[in-house]
Structure formats: structure tokens, C-alpha cells
Amino acid sequence: MQDSPDLGDRGDAVCVVGAGASGLTAIKNLREQGFAVDCYERETSVGGAWNWRHDRSPVYAGTYLVSSRPLTEFPDFPMPDTWPDYPHHQQVLEYLERYARHFGLGEHIWYGMEVVSIVPVADGRWDVTIRSTGGGSSRVQRYAAVVIANGHNWAPVQPEIPGDFLGQVIHSSAYKDPARLRGKRVLVIGGGNTGCDLAVEAAQHADQVWHSTRRGYWFAPKYVGSRPADQLANERAPSWLRRRRNRRVAADLTRWGMPAPEHTPFESNPVVNGLLPHYLGHGRIMPVPDVTGWDGTEVTLADGRIIEPQLVITATGYRPRFDFAAPELLDADEHGRPDLHLHTFARRHPTLAVVGLVQPDSGLFPIAHWQSVAVARWLKLRARDPEKATAVQREESERPLESWSRRKVVPTRRYWFEVGHVDYLRAVESLLNRMESVK
């Protein structure tokens, strides 16, 4: 097929989609392996989900990290020692902006540009269609590889509840300031980290708070004594000792009416919230079961009770979206869940990868760093010795999920990309060692 005269061939350059935390570390590590990089960011600045100015950002005024600073920072760019154990979202954005400046990443980013489509062509290359978010015509650029880093916490999922509700219903992504809660009866739907954080925030500002959860969760505090709990759990120790320690940290909240968990502690990532028991114990949060229907100003619960909130906040998660990529490129199933080795490498397209599509029991940034290191070194090996790279790709793509994530995962969308960071990083290290051995 003859190339279009409007096609721009970027040779061995790599296209990166998104300039959030995952996109930034992808640019850095690709550049360190000698690749030219074009990163396309639909917004006008870096930061992704952590940039509260972006229209897709889910952060609100009271957003803080749920993983402590040492387990969140990039391994080659520490956060300031003077910062708190759990930095505020504005500090996280400042950190990402510093990271981009320190490594000179801005010159490789095209702001206000979105990727419309990626199409595989001969020899593992990709035709990438881009256009300005301000409108105008699109253009096609050809790249040697594509790294997707567009995040997975920006496309809200609303619960399907029959009936009509006359009060306010917003997704947690639209919540920004506690002024919206004051003087109101508030129902928060959702038992994940965000749902519990918002229930706690509502307990501090609203007149009355109900918290609806469908299933039971284990809860972990942010501190054990004066130590951040995740640092204590991350200390080097025999596996049996870590399991015993973790069981002591995790708690179910059934004595206050929360549902009982259906799995043992740390078979899936716990909800990290030290204040929820406080407000449950003081009667400021009323736990209630699933919502089964709307009827005017009334909300019907699964146990038959009826409540009348004025504001409903649905903290019901997000759906991963890759509108620019055909589902078969990522082996996505009918629900939109991609099937990627290490949640990173496309199984049938060796020059396509995703960075940051994980839900770890630690901070995401170090995971994304090592993912992008592996992607960059893999692409370097493929450019240098395609035959050896193909052998590694074949061997790695056949490894089942259980070989790199021993954690039992609850079969719901919330847990699609959940990993234990220790086991996961060991698997990435194994891949890096395998690539090093075939040089």
C-alpha cells in the first residue's frame, strides 16, 4: 500500500499517549534508551489525574495520597524529606512538574493534542492520527512503537438504579469542595478508598450521612503507632511474619454494621482509611446496604428501608477507556478489560504497550517507572536483535496471570488491575534479567 502524501514518518521515534505520571516516566526512560519521543497530551500541562485544573481530574480539595511518600515517589527522584508522610494533591502535582523539569521532558510533549486512532502497519510500526483539542484538521504520523499512558481513573461509571430521583446525584469525580455538603443529608455510594474518604469528609460537614456498600472490605489504617502502615508492612521479613503482621493491621468494621468481607485479609488490597471507624463509632456515619431504587425524594435500600438524602455521591469507580485503539489491539473482552502481559505488554503486537494500568497495594509511580524501563529496554532489544526479542516475547506472553500476581482477586471491575507490588516488581525484574541475558 502506498503511503499518503500527508503522512509524517517519524522513523524510530516512539509515540507516548498522555503526560500524567505514567506518561512522564515513559518519556524519561525511553529517552534514556536513546529513542526519540513524541508525547501527545490533550490538556495544556502535565500531571494527568493529579492536575486539578484538568477537566478529567478526579481530585478534590481534600485529596491526599493513600500510600506514604517513600512508597509513592519515583525511585530516581525522591520527594522532599520535609514533606508530610501523605502529601496533599497539590504537592503531588508540584512533584510531577519538578520531575518533568528536572529530566527535560517538556520539549518532547505536544500539549493540546489528542490521539484519535492508532493503526498497526507493516514491520510493527503504527500510524497515529492526532488532532488539536481546539479543533481543526487531523494529521497522521508513523511511529516505531506506541506507549499508552492515558490513565484509567477518568471515565466515571454510574450505578444502574431503577426509578427517578429528584435530589442531586453526582459522581465522585464531580465533587470538588466540602461547601457542597454543608447543611445537607448526604448518601455516599461505594466502599472503595474514594467512597470511604468522601463518607468521612461528609461526616465533618453534612447534617446526616449514610454510606452504602454492596460488599464487605478489609480496612487498614494509615498509621500503626507513629509509623505509616504501608512502610511497616513493606519491611523485609519472612512471608509468614508479614502475613501475621498484616492480619493484625487489617480490620473489618462489622460491629458498626458494615458488611463482612468475603475474603481473608490482604487477598485483595484493603481500603486505607483510619478515620472511618472513628466516625462510625461516633454515629456520624450510618452504614446502609446497596441501593435498589429511586422514587422521587426517596431512596430504597436492599433491606427495605427508605431514606431521603438531598445529595447522592456515587463513588463507583471508573472504566478504562482507549477510544483511539480497536479492542482487539489490547485483546479487550466484551466488558472492555484488556488482556496484557504484566498489564503492560500487548500479546499480539510487540511494539504496543500500556504503562500505569495497575492498581497496586503501594504507590503507582514506582510501578510505572519499572514498567516503562521494561518497555524501553524491550523496544531497544527488538531494534537490535529482532529474533531474540521475538523469543522473549513469545515466552513472556505465554505466562499466566498467576505467575506474576499471586494475589486472589475479587472478580469485579474494581479489582481488574490489582497487584501486590512486591510480587509484581519481582516479575518485572525477572523480565529485565531475561532481556539482559539474551544480549
Side-chain angles (χ1 to χ4, degrees):
M1 182 176 65
Q2 187 174 1
D3 292 338
S4 164
D6 297 327
L7 180 100
D9 194 334
R10 293 287 288 125
D12 294 330
V14 178
C15 171
V16 174
V17 184
S22 298
L24 292 175
T25 194
I27 299 169
K28 184 196 81 78
N29 285 296
L30 286 163
R31 291 292 300 139
E32 287 183 351
Q33 292 298 317
F35 289 100
V37 178
D38 289 340
C39 174
Y40 297 106
E41 168 55 55
R42 69 185 306 275
E43 301 287 354
T44 57
S45 54
V46 302
W50 288 102
N51 194 325
W52 57 272
R53 302 178 187 89
H54 294 177
D55 59 359
R56 290 180 174 179
S57 172
V59 303
Y60 57 94
T63 300
Y64 289 81
L65 286 174
V66 297
S67 54
S68 67
R69 178 166 42 84
L71 272 71
T72 304
E73 62 197 12
F74 291 115
D76 53 357
F77 193 76
M79 292 183 180
D81 291 338
T82 55
W83 280 12
D85 294 328
Y86 296 94
H88 185 255
H89 73 83
Q90 289 181 326
Q91 292 175 303
V92 178
L93 175 59
E94 179 187 344
Y95 172 72
L96 294 175
E97 291 171 339
R98 289 183 183 182
Y99 180 88
R101 287 195 300 270
H102 178 78
F103 291 107
L105 307 181
E107 63 186 271
H108 308 288
I109 303 172
W110 294 78
Y111 294 107
M113 299 294 291
E114 62 182 345
V115 173
V116 177
S117 70
I118 60 171
V119 178
V121 292
D123 301 324
R125 293 166 66 76
W126 296 84
D127 282 354
V128 177
T129 301
I130 55 175
R131 71 180 172 207
S132 169
T133 54
S137 60
S138 59
R139 69 176 188 268
V140 181
Q141 301 279 80
R142 180 162 293 176
Y143 290 95
V146 173
V147 176
I148 299 172
N150 67 329
H152 61 281
N153 289 326
W154 58 268
V157 173
Q158 287 282 14
E160 296 181 2
I161 300 173
D164 294 305
F165 182 61
L166 298 181
Q168 289 182 299
V169 181
I170 63 170
H171 190 270
S172 59
S173 60
Y175 172 81
K176 299 301 176 185
D177 188 89
R180 195 161 194 169
L181 306 170
R182 292 178 188 136
K184 293 182 179 176
R185 301 184 303 275
V186 177
L187 167 64
V188 178
I189 300 177
N193 283 311
T194 300
C196 292
D197 285 348
L198 289 180
V200 165
E201 181 143 323
Q204 298 169 1
H205 298 279
D207 281 357
Q208 187 173 3
V209 183
W210 297 276
H211 186 199
S212 169
T213 54
R214 181 180 301 176
R215 59 179 60 85
Y217 300 90
W218 291 96
F219 294 83
K222 282 192 168 182
Y223 286 93
V224 176
S226 61
R227 293 278 308 280
D230 60 357
Q231 294 179 30
L232 189 67
N234 201 53
E235 286 182 341
R236 288 187 177 273
S239 58
W240 65 268
L241 181 58
R242 282 191 286 113
R243 285 195 298 270
R244 178 183 295 180
R245 184 187 294 157
N246 289 344
R247 281 195 295 269
R248 290 177 179 174
V249 170
D252 72 73
L253 305 182
T254 52
R255 71 178 293 255
W256 291 294
M258 299 287 281
E262 298 177 355
H263 54 283
T264 60
F266 290 88
E267 280 189 323
S268 67
N269 296 341
V271 174
V272 180
N273 193 303
L275 293 176
L276 188 64
H278 173 86
Y279 286 104
L280 287 168
H282 287 75
R284 288 293 295 132
I285 297 175
M286 175 64 67
V288 295
D290 201 16
V291 173
T292 58
W294 312 118
D295 186 7
T297 61
E298 298 180 340
V299 176
T300 304
L301 305 174
D303 60 4
R305 278 184 288 170
I306 292 176
I307 59 176
E308 294 190 53
Q310 297 164 294
L311 171 65
V312 178
I313 304 176
T314 59
T316 43
Y318 301 84
R319 179 176 288 106
R321 283 180 56 179
F322 308 97
D323 297 342
F324 48 82
E328 59 269 19
L329 297 179
L330 302 174
D331 287 321
D333 62 18
E334 66 274 17
H335 304 293
R337 179 183 184 177
D339 177 21
L340 307 169
H341 179 53
L342 295 174
H343 292 318
T344 304
F345 296 92
R347 297 185 184 276
R348 291 185 291 176
H349 296 278
T351 54
L352 176 63
V354 181
V355 172
L357 190 64
V358 287
Q359 193 78 26
D361 56 351
S362 64
L364 174 63
F365 299 173
I367 299 277
H369 167 85
W370 289 111
Q371 285 178 323
S372 60
V373 168
V375 169
R377 292 186 186 177
W378 154 252
L379 292 174
K380 189 74 171 179
L381 175 62
R382 189 176 186 276
R384 185 176 60 249
D385 194 330
E387 187 174 331
K388 288 181 179 178
T390 299
V392 174
Q393 165 82 5
R394 186 182 304 112
E395 177 184 320
E396 287 291 322
S397 65
E398 291 173 355
R399 291 191 181 188
L401 174 69
E402 293 76 16
S403 69
W404 47 269
S405 180
R406 293 195 294 270
R407 178 157 299 203
K408 179 181 178 182
V409 177
V410 180
T412 65
R413 186 184 62 254
R414 179 176 184 267
Y415 300 95
W416 276 0
F417 309 113
E418 186 170 294
V419 297
H421 76 282
V422 173
D423 291 338
Y424 184 86
L425 289 176
R426 283 174 179 162
V428 175
E429 181 183 31
S430 175
L431 171 59
L432 290 170
N433 291 339
R434 177 78 177 90
M435 288 190 287
E436 188 69 24
S437 70
V438 300
K439 279 187 178 180

